[in-house]
Amino acid sequence: MTQLNSQDAAAPDSRRWLTLSILLLAGFMNLIDVTIVNVAIPSLKADLGASDSQIEWVVAGYIVAFALGLLPLGRLGDVVGRKRMFLIGISGFTLCSAFCGISPSVDLLIAARLLQGLTAAMMMPQVLALVQVTFPPEERGFAFSFFGVTAGIASVAGPLAGGALISANLYDLAWRPIFLVNLPIGIFAVIAGWLLIPNVAPGKRERIDVIGVLLAAATVFSIIIPLVEGREVGWPTWCFAMMAASIVTATAFVFWERHRERRKATQLLPMSLIRNRHFLLGLSMTSSLFAGIPGFFFIVAVFLQVGFGYTPLQSGLATVPFPVGVFLASLIAGQFGSRKVKARLIAGALTLAAGMAALYAVVGTVTDSVSHWSLLGPLFLCGLGMGTTVAPLFATILTVVEARDAGSGSGALQSFQQIGAALGVAVNGQIFFSALASAGEGPASYRDAFQTSIIFELAIFLLLAFLSSRLPIGADPKRSSDPHSASGRGDHAMIES
């Protein structure tokens, strides 16, 4: 077993910022692929003769496979090597993008999307884990701030890029370029990653916790499937039965991991994290944040495109103030590094809530048309809140994760991110469409339904502010730079070979 000493830990890799750019590119590809498909739905249905249920699985299949794979494949990266797992994942993701683009039938497209989601789950836990082990504690806050920029840009770039590519109808390929565009980007990322990402020695070769993987997969599956399918099928009894079953499998998972710990066997999610109040609170905060954002942009797209006749491109352009706000706030957040984490989390959540309150007021003035200029201020304010929140949130959660468990911790973080996103889309969609059904047709109905859904967003971000206030007073990633602290032992942890 080889161990990094303090001197090694004080000399970070000189290629770390180039490494970060590659990791951000991979993260951007994943995020944009979640949203870009939405604008292609009419084109897909017309070209492939797909049913509503089949089109739903083109979108949902990716999310389900991604969510199921995050935790076990994140842990596998800890064992076999994060660079290796990242390169396998992004290579597979690029190949599956090609399969999506050339699929002759909707059934083959769904299969390709399932594989694409699984390969995304191979690479994405390694993205955060590599940042965790590559950057010294004092630089992590700034490094994580770029993930806020990436998330904000991807949330708008997906619909924008999708609308532009479909409108251009390159070589009469209709919807196919939205997948094929990943090929040159993915090939570049594979080559650059192979050359530039440092080799971090994997942990000890131990047996994979197979039962833990099965219990975790059953738990995530029992949560995600009802949330994805529930609104479309009218929330039948089986949806609630599956969600109830997830409590049973989650409890069994914890007991199994405790049993593995007593036997000194490797755990899929280490019990030290399951017991850590700081980590669990951080997962709850992550779910709250991402329950708000994806569901919000889903409703914005319906509000503008269906309610007021915006094209996909016009709808995407109308939401540009949000990523601009994210970008500016993330740059400012980067200057703080790892200081004032708790205060910044509370401020970011309250800024998001203020932006939603402003949007509620603006939407209330809408009559027969909506001007994108009226949305500029509230969306920009929401972007500022998002950019203020993401970097300290990721940094404060992962700072309590030891380097040897970085993949597992990152996988758990992103699993809760996906669960939160699915929950937000399901609940916000239910609120919006129920209000729309009771209000009738016409622009006024879409206005009233959108206002009702904004109340949910407001409540979510106030909850996030409350959860942020419950963080321990010492919840500050800069403390991890102390090699004698508990979190410091994680940051200067043994890298086993």
Side-chain angles (χ1 to χ4, degrees), residues 170-464:
L170 298 171
Y171 302 105
D172 202 29
L173 290 174
W175 53 271
R176 299 180 188 277
I178 69 172
F179 297 112
L180 298 176
V181 72
N182 284 337
L183 269 63
I185 301 172
I187 291 169
F188 170 79
V190 170
I191 295 171
W194 180 68
L195 292 173
L196 296 173
I197 294 176
N199 286 304
V200 180
K204 292 187 298 184
R205 293 301 181 105
E206 299 185 56
R207 290 184 177 179
I208 298 296
D209 179 7
V210 176
I211 294 180
V213 168
L214 294 175
L215 289 171
T219 301
V220 174
F221 186 82
S222 298
I223 296 172
I224 291 289
I225 289 294
L227 292 177
V228 169
E229 288 282 286
R231 184 178 61 81
E232 292 293 329
V233 297
W235 297 104
T237 304
W238 65 260
C239 288
F240 299 101
M242 284 187 72
M243 286 191 278
S246 71
I247 299 173
V248 176
T249 53
T251 303
F253 175 77
V254 172
F255 277 105
W256 174 253
E257 297 301 279
R258 186 178 298 166
H259 170 70
R260 298 274 297 180
E261 182 190 42
R262 285 196 296 266
R263 293 177 53 198
K264 301 190 183 303
T266 185
Q267 301 123 56
L268 179 62
L269 184 62
M271 281 301 300
S272 59
L273 295 181
I274 295 175
R275 293 194 188 98
N276 190 300
R277 175 176 173 267
H278 183 158
F279 185 73
L280 295 180
L281 183 58
L283 295 182
S284 301
M285 291 163 61
T286 300
S287 294
S288 299
L289 175 62
F290 286 94
I293 297 302
F296 171 70
F297 279 104
F298 168 67
I299 298 302
V300 167
V302 175
F303 171 71
L304 293 177
Q305 294 180 43
V306 181
F308 292 90
Y310 277 50
T311 67
L313 187 58
Q314 290 171 331
S315 176
L317 288 171
T319 55
V320 163
F322 180 85
V324 171
V326 172
F327 179 75
L328 292 177
S330 297
L331 291 181
I332 296 170
Q335 302 305 309
F336 281 88
S338 299
R339 302 187 303 275
K340 305 292 184 183
V341 165
K342 183 175 179 178
R344 286 158 55 201
L345 285 169
I346 296 171
L350 291 177
T351 303
L352 276 163
M356 288 297 168
L359 187 62
Y360 183 92
V362 166
V363 171
T365 66
V366 168
T367 53
D368 293 333
S369 63
V370 55
S371 169
H372 68 275
W373 294 110
S374 66
L375 306 178
L376 190 153
L379 288 178
F380 179 73
L381 193 58
C382 289
L384 289 176
M386 180 73 173
T388 303
T389 304
V390 168
L393 177 60
F394 283 1
T396 192
I397 295 171
L398 293 178
T399 196
V400 300
V401 180
E402 293 196 2
R404 66 189 178 198
D405 297 324
S408 180
S410 298
L413 170 62
Q414 291 177 88
S415 293
F416 275 78
Q417 177 181 330
Q418 290 302 309
I419 289 170
L423 177 64
V425 170
V427 174
N428 213 347
Q430 184 70 32
I431 292 171
F432 178 84
F433 287 108
S434 295
L436 187 63
S438 61
E441 296 295 328
S445 301
Y446 282 89
R447 177 200 63 204
D448 295 343
F450 189 32
Q451 276 194 305
T452 304
S453 72
I454 292 173
I455 295 172
F456 168 77
E457 299 288 336
L458 186 60
I460 281 290
F461 296 130
L462 290 175
L463 172 63
L464 177 60

Side-chain angles (χ1 to χ4, degrees), residues 50 52 63-64 114 156 198 218 252 296 360-361 370 373 451 466 493:
D52 289 339
I63 298 171
V64 171
L114 287 166
V156 176
F296 171 70
Y360 183 92
V370 55
W373 294 110
Q451 276 194 305
F466 171 75

Side-chain angles (χ1 to χ4, degrees), residues 64-106:
V64 171
F66 183 52
L68 287 175
L70 280 167
L71 189 54
L73 293 172
R75 187 54 163 170
L76 190 60
D78 293 334
V79 176
V80 305
R82 298 180 189 112
K83 177 178 178 178
R84 179 187 299 175
M85 184 63 72
F86 173 80
L87 292 177
I88 292 171
I90 197 166
S91 299
F93 184 89
T94 304
L95 185 61
C96 290
S97 296
F99 289 153
C100 289
I102 64 175
S103 293
S105 70
V106 69

